[in-house]
């Protein structure tokens, strides 16, 4: 499984369940801040906000499943409140 947003609340819970079931997970994010030390969990450093490159072209792995739950967290442009 290739996943974005693994360091968030939902992502961490999902990753914890998957690594406990011995499912191989690749998390993409800015920093490897996951509290798990498992052999079936890998981190790919990538900054979605500041990058201009196409990440998928750089990947050598070809996952069966992609889960995208990352959210933009650009501190330079505040989110408007409704």
């Amino acid at each position: 499984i290739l996943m974005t947003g693994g360091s968030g609340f939902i992502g961490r819970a999902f990753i914890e369940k998957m690594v406990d079931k011995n499912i191989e997970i690749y998390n993409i994010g800015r920093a490897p801040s996951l509290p798990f030390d498992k052999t079936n969990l890998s981190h790919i450093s990538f900054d979605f906000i500041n990058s201009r490159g196409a990440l998928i072209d750089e990947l050598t792995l070809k996952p069966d499943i992609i889960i995208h739950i990352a959210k933009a967290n650009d501190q330079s442009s505040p989110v408007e409140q409704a």
Side-chain angles (χ1 to χ4, degrees):
I1 296 174
L2 177 65
M3 181 173 186
T4 65
S7 61
F9 180 75
I10 295 170
R12 282 182 194 220
F14 179 81
I15 285 177
E16 185 175 12
K17 296 286 185 193
M18 295 299 104
V19 295
D20 287 345
K21 293 181 180 197
N22 208 28
I23 295 174
E24 192 170 13
I25 300 277
Y26 295 88
N27 179 57
I28 299 174
R30 287 185 301 253
S33 60
L34 296 172
F36 312 114
D37 185 23
K38 303 284 186 171
T39 58
N40 56 327
L41 174 61
S42 301
H43 180 77
I44 300 167
S45 293
F46 188 78
D47 186 345
F48 291 97
I49 300 296
N50 297 315
S51 178
R52 300 286 182 231
L55 173 68
I56 204 70
D57 292 337
E58 298 174 24
L59 293 177
T60 57
L61 60 107
K62 302 296 180 208
D64 294 324
I65 299 169
I66 298 174
I67 300 173
H68 176 52
I69 60 171
K71 78 173 192 85
N73 194 12
D74 185 359
Q75 300 299 325
S76 65
S77 57
V79 177
E80 292 182 28
Q81 299 292 325

